Amino acid sequence: MQDIVNYLNGLIWSPALIYLCLGAGLFYSVLTRFVQVRHFGEMWRLLLSGTSSDKGISSFQALAVSLSGRVGTGNIAGVAAAIGFGGPGAVFWMWMVAFLGAATAYIESTLAQIYKEEDEGQYRGGPAYYFEKAMGQKWYAWIFAIATIIACGLFLPGVQSNNIGSAVETAFGAGSIINTSFFGEVSFAKLVSGVVVVLILGFIIFGGVRRIAKFTEIVVPFMALAYIIIACVIVGLNIDQLPSIIGLIVGDAFSPMAGFGAAIGWGVKRGVYSNEAGQGSGPHAAAAAEVQHPAQQGLVQSFSIYIDTLFVCSATAFMILITGAYNVHGVGEAFLVQNVASEIAANGPVFTQMAIESTLPGVGKPFIAFALFFFSFTTILAYYYIAETNVAYIKRTVNIPGMVFILKVAIMASTFYGAVKTADLAWGMGDIGVGLMAWLNIVGIVVIFFMAKPALRALRDYEDQQKKGVTEYTFDPEKLGIENADYWTKKAATEARAKAGQAEPAKARKPGVA
């Protein structure tokens, strides 16, 4: 199984995808005139000003849901893996893909808002919806929807639960080893972790998107803040080393320890896994937000990349590098740098736990276990919401009874399976899921750009209204030459009638109905 997963990863995560992720970010940064820098202040304002409705969640809740998908294992274990296999220079490329990816996040999230739909009393949207409406290619939308259901419903949850189990095992001990017929030998700690996570997961996902949003808007900011405070304490206690660590990161980025391309390859791979810019997962939450103008949620989602990678991932990297709690793998069994025991796996949270433990004895192992539980658990919730949205997309055409229930059972099974299996297998399957979605989404949004440029037209329209000093933003896709944006077209027509003092047109009666 591991050999098959490794082979598929070699195909999907070829240098072509690495440079496509960076190239798409640079492409959209230039076209938007670096929207991620110019509108930084507006991002803050929008983040704090949005409200929810009966049909949609607030901008902050949408940010929390998308951050719950971003701030997870990738920030704690993913950074450790990037350093362990790509050297300290991999962190530089994580920064680079985050900075450039913020523009990609604006594009994909604005597209999700433009082409969202109202479905059973709530907003739905994402790449499948904008591929169908903007590209006019329903077959491509279906491929993305199916790939996303498989990735988020089966492949990705196991990475998160695996690292919860590993962190608990490191913090509190493995306990007795249980020999099972299906999973093989499993530690008691991992078995209990898997059961607890699945039980809580089932309770929340059967409560719907609002329960997910309420849970994540409380947990994600609290845990991210606590994690960054711990990181600041450790960096502050070793502040004299920070300049040399930054120098090491930048210097190693262009002369990678682990061979040519290793730093950029691992940096971009783990960067995309962490911040998800271009992957196509963030737009699902962006589409659910209640906003006055599609560009507003695009800006908010762009800001989430900064929170994820430039704040949380950097905190992890500085802790690991300052304390020296890492190895760098070379060819085969060799190490280019070995500071800790060779049997400690880079694909896990142990480097981060050791970094905190070395400075704050007695704190590191349990704190990371606790943080990883909440970070990873909320990420699994985000994966469920993304998969459910794509099931809803498919149901528009083919409505098979019980599809959502099957998805819920599948994601719970995948979560438990990942909790008790090896880290290499879990990460490998997760990378396949991320890579498939990234290929399909980035290629799709580039095609949409050359066809209609809708996200760029929305940005110009928003900036024009900003210059006029309006307090209530409006969006009329027909005036901008954007077709098939049915929700916004209907909203613009309703607002125009209200402004003119006209009543809603009466719905046509069915023949024979009095």
Side-chain angles (χ1 to χ4, degrees), residues 219-233 367 370-371 375:
V219 171
V220 172
F222 172 76
M223 284 310 306
L225 182 62
Y227 186 76
I228 290 172
I229 288 172
I230 289 287
C232 288
V233 169
F367 176 76
F370 186 70
F375 282 166

Side-chain angles (χ1 to χ4, degrees), residues 211-225:
R211 186 175 290 178
I212 295 172
K214 287 291 183 183
F215 184 82
T216 55
E217 77 171 331
I218 296 171
V219 171
V220 172
F222 172 76
M223 284 310 306
L225 182 62

Side-chain angles (χ1 to χ4, degrees), residues 100-299:
L100 296 176
T104 309
Y106 164 78
I107 294 292
E108 61 184 0
S109 296
T110 302
L111 287 174
Q113 266 290 329
I114 291 173
Y115 297 106
K116 71 181 181 182
E117 293 181 358
E118 188 180 328
D119 177 30
E120 296 181 356
Q122 62 181 331
Y123 297 137
R124 296 278 193 187
Y129 293 82
Y130 58 68
F131 289 154
E132 177 184 330
K133 295 184 177 186
M135 289 174 62
Q137 304 296 327
K138 196 169 184 177
W139 64 270
Y140 194 83
W142 266 71
I143 291 175
F144 181 88
I146 292 169
T148 302
I149 292 168
I150 294 171
C152 293
L154 297 178
F155 289 172
L156 290 166
V159 180
Q160 307 298 327
S161 59
N162 182 272
N163 281 277
I164 292 174
S166 297
V168 170
E169 191 176 60
T170 301
F172 305 108
S176 58
I177 303 299
I178 301 170
N179 200 339
T180 65
S181 57
F182 186 74
F183 299 109
E185 292 186 346
V186 181
S187 71
F188 180 73
K190 284 191 171 183
L191 192 63
V192 171
S193 298
V195 170
V196 170
V197 170
V198 167
L199 288 176
I200 300 174
L201 175 64
F203 171 74
I204 294 178
I205 64 176
F206 278 94
V209 65
R210 293 189 179 281
R211 186 175 290 178
I212 295 172
K214 287 291 183 183
F215 184 82
T216 55
E217 77 171 331
I218 296 171
V219 171
V220 172
F222 172 76
M223 284 310 306
L225 182 62
Y227 186 76
I228 290 172
I229 288 172
I230 289 287
C232 288
V233 169
I234 292 175
V235 172
L237 292 172
N238 301 274
I239 194 67
D240 58 313
Q241 298 182 47
L242 187 59
S244 62
I245 292 299
I246 294 175
L248 176 65
I249 290 171
V250 176
D252 188 53
F254 300 98
S255 55
M257 296 182 181
F260 179 75
I264 186 171
W266 278 96
V268 173
K269 181 190 287 190
R270 287 292 168 256
V272 172
Y273 195 101
S274 173
N275 63 53
E276 300 182 0
Q279 181 188 335
S281 52
H284 296 88
E290 183 73 70
V291 291
Q292 295 175 359
H293 194 286
Q296 292 177 321
Q297 195 58 33
L299 293 173

Side-chain angles (χ1 to χ4, degrees), residues 40-119:
F40 188 79
E42 181 69 359
M43 293 175 189
W44 270 106
R45 188 191 71 79
L46 292 170
L47 182 63
L48 302 173
S49 64
T51 58
S52 61
S53 71
D54 292 337
K55 299 174 184 176
I57 57 181
S58 69
S59 289
F60 181 77
Q61 286 176 323
L63 175 72
V65 171
S66 61
L67 273 176
S68 69
R70 291 185 171 110
V71 179
T73 292
N75 301 87
I76 297 176
V79 174
I83 294 172
F85 293 107
V91 178
F92 173 86
W93 293 105
M94 291 187 79
W95 291 342
M96 188 59 65
V97 78
F99 175 71
L100 296 176
T104 309
Y106 164 78
I107 294 292
E108 61 184 0
S109 296
T110 302
L111 287 174
Q113 266 290 329
I114 291 173
Y115 297 106
K116 71 181 181 182
E117 293 181 358
E118 188 180 328
D119 177 30

